[in-house]
């Protein structure tokens, strides 16, 4: 890492740590709002009554889980229907055709589960109504679902001898209206001022300075590209004097895409597209906005359980893991691709005072360079965001392994909005359990005994995603339909599949995007991984919240393991790494590790 | 279940209207009034006609123009209606072949230039629409462009400098040269 990269990383962490506490306190206040006298409160009560429920109605964990599932199922139906009917609906100036059933289903699951995996290219598939009323809405509601689950789990710790874990409707409403919406509104307007487009116009065709000459692939009568005897595409020379600029309501979606750790791009190229991410300054704020709410929720957790140190402890474990991996990613990408040096490409420093021309620039934008791209890649995968400002498929083997490993750790290093916190709390419970075994005492966390029911739920929540990833990868590499999607030969092709399943099951959404996934096989497989990767964690987490809330509080004694401070941070990091590595080292060895060895020995 | 259905549907419809209609229309309305150019695509207008966007790169292959980053969009490069990177892995033979081809094209357009080629000039960008190249990549091409336009190299270098911006606020991103603006300035200086 060069000095510039250190400065960038330092500024990022400083800005983040400054922002999380005020926002965390605010989140704790609005989610736990119990004062009936305020204007906001009276407004809420009126809205809730109109929607057919009472604010003070406390739900047991099962009812809470059913409510969330029902709410998300409605989202699934809405996003699917809008895509299947878009040609006949308004706000579709490009006349985008109806999306195929398998792709529409995959995308609906993807956006409802906060994964935002994309098998389609946005600018060539989705009309504006789908983008707004389908996708933007789920950007909000899937994030609100995450916050609701996290708050319900926190209530499990904060309450005692109580049958309920809160009201799902009130939690969803508050997370959307008082947290996500105001932040998005401000951020969207800032983005629009910086060049992120925001309009409902038709695409704009213009005449370029130079006529573009290119080889156009010839199509047969079915519209499929023709191939010659050797399997190469048959092309004919063609020219075009024009360029077509896409348009659309991008800024409003971009803001919640980052703040809600969604990551689904308006355009195919996601946050590397200049209309989504026009300048390095915007890029920096996009990175901050990914970690903002997951970081703040740690503080909100501390506030609600009445001991802020507990929140800072989780945040410290997340921050240390994140910084270590970010340094690795930037370092590997700055090393560059040794094979390209052999074909007469290298650095010249005659005018450049930056290190831009050093390193692996394939799939990266000039304005971001190496450091801002590798840092973004680490952030977007540490959090379950999945936006990309550079193409992870073209990263160096170990540079690309960093995002892959960040995903495989279970999206708990900041993680998704809400899901990162409840994921990390699950690991904290596992950590006190392991520590309890070592010192021979009944494990307890925040005054609650951790017993067999909690450990069963913890095990399900922790093991569900690795199971989906590894079984899914095995199915894909064993079937013709799975192998057909591979774009890069050798170990990298396997890494593409492993990345796709890891990303889907952990609800990240980024990709080694060379893999052709818009096929019925991958649309079905990945949709399954996304749905169960989301709800096979949420349901046990809520079940645990229910049993914790019902328990009596036990008091701290001299024998209680403190769950704050450096010792617990170390223990927590150890548990996260141990579980992650035990699950995935064999698979990683077959992908990025082999590729790394081959690359440097070829050199 | 029945008791859950009414609140689920009412809340879903309410929040959909707020976040999927009210919110994007509000942002569109305010952006239209407050930042019409930025929200409309940062168009560059010449003689009343849009000739490009300040944010989206265009394809250049004539020796008299500065060339931008290679673009992996299909079917033609810099196809703004289908943004995409190459997604070629570091060991993919197709990547080495593509880079070799780009090196040969640069050498063919400027046979005397034996300097090492800046990496961004031979690797595809992430979006395929990158409007910038590094200052090093512009400097590498300055003599070729000057020769093709019968200009002093110094004059061309001055234009490059005028179209170069540093890191945002001195720390974010990288220094870069705006290829379309630079080529427009060249056309204005020596058509």
């Amino acid at each position: 890492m060069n000095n510039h990269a250190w400065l960038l990383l330092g500024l990022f962490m400083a800005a983040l740590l400054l922002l999380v506490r005020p926002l965390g306190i605010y989140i704790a206040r609005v989610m736990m709002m119990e004062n009936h006298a305020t204007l906001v409160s009276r407004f809420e009560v009126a809205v809730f009554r109109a929607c057919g429920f009472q604010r003070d109605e406390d739900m047991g964990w099962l009812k809470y889980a059913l409510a969330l599932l029902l709410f998300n199922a409605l989202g699934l139906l809405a996003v699917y229907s809008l895509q299947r009917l878009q040609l006949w609906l308004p706000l579709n100036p490009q006349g985008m055709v109806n999306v195929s059933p398998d792709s529409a289903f995959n995308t609906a699951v993807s956006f409802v589960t906060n994964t935002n995996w994309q098998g389609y290219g946005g600018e060539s598939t989705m009309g504006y109504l789908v983008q707004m009323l389908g996708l933007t809405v789920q950007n909000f509601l899937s994030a609100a679902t995450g916050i609701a689950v996290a708050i319900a789990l926190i209530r499990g710790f904060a309450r005692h001898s109580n049958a309920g874990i809160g009201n799902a409707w009130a939690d969803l409403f508050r997370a959307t209206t008082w947290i996500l919406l105001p932040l998005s509104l401000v951020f969207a307007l800032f983005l629009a001022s910086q060049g992120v487009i925001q309009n409902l116009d038709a695409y704009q065709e213009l005449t370029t300075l130079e006529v573009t000459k290119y080889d156009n692939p010839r199509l047969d009568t079915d519209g499929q590209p023709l191939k010659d005897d050797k399997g190469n595409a048959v092309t004919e020379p063609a020219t075009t004097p024009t360029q077509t600029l896409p348009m659309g309501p991008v800024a409003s979606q971009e803001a919640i895409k980052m703040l809600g750790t969604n990551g689904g791009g308006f355009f195919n190229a996601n946050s590397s597209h200049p209309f989504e991410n026009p300048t390095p300054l915007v890029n920096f704020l996009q990175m901050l906005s990914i970690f903002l709410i997951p970081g703040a929720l740690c503080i909100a957790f501390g506030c609600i359980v009445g001991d802020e140190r507990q929140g800072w402890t989780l945040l410290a474990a997340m921050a240390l893991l994140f910084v270590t991996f970010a340094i690795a990613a930037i370092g590997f990408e700055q090393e560059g691709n040794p094979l390209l040096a052999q074909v007469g490409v290298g650095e010249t420093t005659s005018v450049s005072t930056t290190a831009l021309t050093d390193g692996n620039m394939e799939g990266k934008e000039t304005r971001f360079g190496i450091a801002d791209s590798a840092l973004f890649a680490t952030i977007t995968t540490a959090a379950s965001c999945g936006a990309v400002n550079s193409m992870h498929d073209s990263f160096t083997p170990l540079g690309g392994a960093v995002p892959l490993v960040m995903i495989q750790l279970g999206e708990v290093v900041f993680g998704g909005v809400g899901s990162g916190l409840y994921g990390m709390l699950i690991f904290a419970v596992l950590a006190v359990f392991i520590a309890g075994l070592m010192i021979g005492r009944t494990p307890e966390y925040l005054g609650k005994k951790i017993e067999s029911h909690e450990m069963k739920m913890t095990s399900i929540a922790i093991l569900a995603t690795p199971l989906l990833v590894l079984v899914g990868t095995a199915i894909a590499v064993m079937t013709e339909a799975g192998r057909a999607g591979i774009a890069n030969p050798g170990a990298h092709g396997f890494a593409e599949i492993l990345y796709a399943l890891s990303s889907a099951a952990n609800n990240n959404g980024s990709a080694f995007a060379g893999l052709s996934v818009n096929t019925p096989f991958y649309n079905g497989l990945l949709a399954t991984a996304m749905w169960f990767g989301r709800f096979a964690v949420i349901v046990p987490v809520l079940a645990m919240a229910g049993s914790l809330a019902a328990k009596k509080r036990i008091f701290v004694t001299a024998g209680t393991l403190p769950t704050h401070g450096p010792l617990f941070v170390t223990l927590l990091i150890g548990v996260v790494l141990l579980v992650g590595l035990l699950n995935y080292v064999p698979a990683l060895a077959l992908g990025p590790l082999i590729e790394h060895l081959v690359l440097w020995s070829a050199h | 279940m029945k008791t859950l259905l009414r609140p689920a549907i009412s809340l879903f419809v309410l929040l959909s209207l707020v976040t999927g209609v009210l919110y994007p229309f509000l942002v569109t309305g305010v952006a239209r009034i407050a930042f019409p150019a930025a929200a409309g695509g940062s168009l560059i207008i010449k003689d009343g006609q849009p000739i490009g966007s300040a944010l989206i790169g265009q394809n250049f292959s004539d020796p008299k123009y500065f060339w931008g980053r290679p673009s992996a969009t299909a079917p033609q490069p810099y196809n703004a209606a289908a943004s995409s990177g190459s997604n070629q892995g570091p060991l993919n033979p197709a990547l080495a072949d593509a880079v070799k081809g780009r090196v040969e094209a640069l050498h063919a357009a400027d046979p005397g230039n034996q300097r090492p080629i800046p990496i961004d000039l031979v690797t595809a960008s992430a979006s395929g629409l990158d409007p910038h190249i590094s200052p090093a990549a512009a400097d590498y091409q300055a003599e070729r462009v000057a020769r093709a336009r019968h200009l002093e190299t110094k004059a061309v270098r001055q234009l490059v400098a005028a179209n170069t911006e540093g890191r945002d606020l001195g720390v974010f991103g990288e220094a870069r040269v705006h290829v379309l603006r630079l080529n427009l300035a060249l056309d204005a200086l020596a058509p």
Side-chain angles (χ1 to χ4, degrees):
Chain A
M1 280 212 348
N2 55 19
N3 289 342
H4 165 246
W6 283 111
L7 179 64
L8 181 70
L9 183 58
L11 271 175
F12 177 78
M13 289 310 291
L16 179 70
L17 292 176
L18 270 178
L19 291 172
V20 289
R21 190 165 183 272
L23 183 63
I25 293 171
Y26 170 77
I27 290 176
R29 210 170 278 168
V30 296
M31 293 308 291
M32 305 305 281
M33 192 159 29
E34 265 146 28
N35 182 357
H36 290 247
T38 63
L39 200 63
V40 170
S41 184
R42 260 181 275 167
F43 168 73
E44 271 194 345
V45 169
V47 171
F48 294 173
R49 192 173 302 146
C51 288
F53 63 96
Q54 301 290 323
R55 187 174 75 166
D56 301 323
E57 184 208 336
D58 223 22
M59 296 180 178
W61 79 265
L62 193 58
K63 192 170 182 195
Y64 198 101
L66 282 174
L68 285 187
L69 281 169
L70 189 61
F71 190 74
N72 280 282
L74 288 175
L76 197 66
L77 193 67
V79 180
Y80 181 82
S81 313
L82 283 168
Q83 290 178 84
R84 299 282 295 138
L85 302 172
Q86 66 167 343
L87 188 54
W88 304 304
L89 296 173
L91 289 173
N92 184 0
Q94 294 311 115
M96 299 291 183
V97 297
N98 296 334
V99 183
S100 72
D102 60 302
S103 175
F105 176 68
N106 180 281
T107 303
V109 172
S110 171
F111 277 75
V112 167
T113 56
N114 199 252
T115 314
N116 306 59
W117 171 270
Q118 296 173 291
Y120 62 93
E123 64 267 53
S124 53
T125 314
M126 300 298 181
Y128 300 155
L129 189 74
V130 178
Q131 296 272 21
M132 287 161 41
L133 194 56
L135 305 184
T136 303
V137 167
Q138 284 308 316
N139 274 284
F140 278 98
L141 300 187
S142 65
T145 301
I147 295 178
V149 175
I151 294 292
L153 180 60
I154 297 172
R155 285 198 195 102
F157 286 111
R159 291 177 172 184
H160 58 93
S161 319
N162 195 320
I165 54 171
N167 186 300
W169 311 126
D171 287 346
L172 287 169
F173 178 85
R174 287 170 172 173
T176 308
T177 315
W178 309 133
I179 299 170
L180 298 169
L181 200 56
L183 286 172
S184 299
L185 197 56
V186 174
F187 194 38
L189 288 173
F190 169 77
L191 291 175
S193 76
Q194 299 299 300
V196 179
I197 55 175
Q198 178 73 27
N199 59 61
L200 299 167
D201 303 342
Y203 291 8
Q204 175 124 26
E205 189 170 358
L206 49 82
T207 306
T208 52
L209 215 50
E210 191 185 304
V211 173
T212 301
K213 300 183 209 63
Y214 64 101
D215 294 323
N216 200 27
R218 281 173 64 174
L219 304 178
D220 61 19
T221 44
D222 297 337
Q224 296 301 313
L226 277 173
K227 302 234 165 127
D228 64 13
D229 302 339
K230 289 177 193 154
N232 296 319
V234 181
T235 58
E236 56 195 356
T239 59
T240 174
T242 62
Q243 187 179 44
T244 302
L245 297 179
M247 292 286 143
V250 180
S252 53
Q253 189 165 329
E254 193 72 15
I256 185 63
K257 163 190 151 192
M258 312 314 277
L259 286 163
T261 63
N262 292 283
F266 198 96
F267 302 116
N268 187 44
N270 208 298
S271 273
S272 72
H273 197 296
F275 277 166
E276 284 200 26
N277 194 357
T279 68
L281 176 66
V282 167
N283 184 65
F284 185 77
L285 292 173
Q286 289 201 355
M287 294 195 289
L288 261 184
S289 60
I290 296 175
F291 271 3
L292 184 63
I293 297 178
L297 276 169
C298 292
I299 307 303
F301 158 69
C303 291
I304 298 171
V305 299
D307 182 0
E308 226 181 282
R309 294 172 306 180
Q310 303 291 343
W312 285 107
T313 300
L314 299 188
L315 193 63
M318 293 176 175
L320 283 171
L321 278 166
F322 162 69
V323 167
T324 312
F325 279 95
I327 291 169
I330 297 171
F332 291 131
E333 287 309 290
Q334 286 182 335
E335 285 275 302
N337 183 344
L339 295 184
L340 299 191
Q342 294 167 348
V343 287
V345 183
E347 191 201 355
T348 167
T349 51
S350 54
V351 292
S352 169
T353 55
T354 73
L356 171 69
T357 46
D358 235 349
N360 178 22
M361 280 300 285
E362 179 70 26
K364 294 190 179 67
E365 296 282 292
T366 310
R367 61 192 180 283
F368 305 139
I370 305 286
D372 293 54
S373 297
L375 182 61
F376 193 110
T378 315
I379 291 167
T380 193
T381 49
S384 79
C385 180
V388 294
N389 79 346
S390 55
M391 293 302 135
H392 295 184
D393 213 353
S394 297
F395 273 33
T396 61
L398 295 185
V402 168
L404 180 55
V405 171
M406 294 286 13
I407 293 171
Q408 290 174 339
L409 289 183
E411 298 298 11
V412 294
V413 182
F414 290 91
V417 165
S419 61
L421 179 64
Y422 64 71
M424 197 51 137
L425 282 170
I426 290 285
F427 274 104
V429 167
L430 183 62
V432 294
F433 176 72
I434 291 173
L437 288 183
M438 289 194 289
I439 55 177
R441 280 184 61 93
T442 311
E444 54 191 83
Y445 187 50
L446 305 172
K448 293 294 171 72
K449 259 193 194 141
I450 304 300
E451 292 167 301
S452 106
H453 181 258
E454 286 74 46
M455 288 320 297
K456 278 182 200 151
M457 294 305 121
T458 300
S459 306
I460 296 174
I462 286 180
L463 293 177
T465 50
L467 200 69
L468 289 165
V469 173
L470 295 174
V471 172
T473 305
I475 291 173
V477 295
M478 282 190 305
T479 50
E480 193 53 46
R483 291 192 301 268
I486 292 175
N488 284 285
H492 198 85
F494 172 74
E496 285 181 340
I497 293 180
L498 179 64
Y499 197 108
L501 268 301
S502 302
S503 174
N506 287 290
N507 300 138
N508 181 271
S510 67
F512 275 7
L515 190 70
S516 303
V517 289
N518 201 354
T519 61
F521 173 80
Y522 274 113
N523 280 330
L525 180 71
L526 296 171
T528 311
M530 289 188 281
W531 185 262
F532 289 100
R534 177 78 163 171
F535 293 105
V537 177
I538 282 183
V539 174
V541 164
L542 289 174
M544 188 159 99
S547 81
L548 287 170
K551 283 175 195 279
K552 287 201 192 92
R553 190 188 303 282
I554 46 174
F555 291 96
V556 175
T557 65
T560 307
L561 174 77
T563 51
H564 58 84
L567 186 67
F568 192 73
V569 169
T570 315
L571 185 65
L572 191 53
I573 290 176
V575 171
V576 170
L577 286 177
L578 190 72
V579 171
L581 290 179
L582 284 178
N583 282 325
Y584 292 110
V585 159
L588 289 169
L590 292 175
L593 278 182
I594 289 189
E595 199 191 357
H596 175 75
L597 297 175
V598 173
L599 179 66
W600 287 90
S601 62
H603 168 59
Chain B
M1 205 64 179
K2 248 185 195 161
T3 55
L4 292 176
L5 211 53
R6 188 184 154 208
I9 293 173
S10 342
L11 195 63
F12 182 77
V13 170
L14 173 73
L15 292 181
S16 291
L17 290 177
V18 171
T19 60
V21 179
L22 192 64
Y23 160 72
F25 273 104
L26 182 65
V27 176
T28 308
V30 175
R32 264 284 149 87
I33 295 162
F35 331 105
S42 308
L43 299 178
I44 300 176
I45 308 283
K46 194 177 160 190
D47 307 327
Q49 286 295 319
I51 52 156
S53 161
L55 295 173
I56 305 287
Q58 292 185 6
N59 187 57
F60 292 101
S61 56
D62 192 319
K64 69 175 185 169
Y65 284 122
F66 279 87
W67 300 356
R69 298 285 301 278
S71 162
T73 60
Q76 76 270 29
Y78 288 92
N79 178 4
S83 58
S84 173
S86 77
N87 284 311
Q88 285 161 341
L91 265 169
N92 192 334
L95 172 64
D97 286 349
V99 171
K100 215 174 283 172
R102 292 162 190 156
V103 169
E104 277 160 15
L106 283 162
H107 283 161
D110 190 9
N113 190 347
Q114 291 304 316
R115 289 156 62 190
I117 303 170
I119 188 91
D120 58 309
L121 208 49
V122 293
T123 47
S125 62
S127 62
L129 307 173
D130 195 339
H132 300 111
I133 52 176
S134 69
D139 191 65
Y140 176 86
Q141 304 182 67
E143 283 177 25
R144 182 196 77 215
V145 172
R147 221 170 24 246
R149 291 185 180 255
H150 311 291
L151 284 169
E152 297 265 340
T153 311
K154 213 177 106 187
V156 172
R157 288 222 162 93
Q158 274 170 356
L159 275 191
V160 170
N163 287 285
T164 302
E165 54 186 322
R167 288 181 165 137
D168 287 12
L169 307 179
V171 283
F172 303 125
E174 297 293 348
R176 54 211 185 269
V177 180
H178 197 287
V179 179
L180 178 58
R181 284 224 175 90
L182 174 58
N183 285 333
L184 283 170
L186 275 169
D187 277 352
L189 184 71

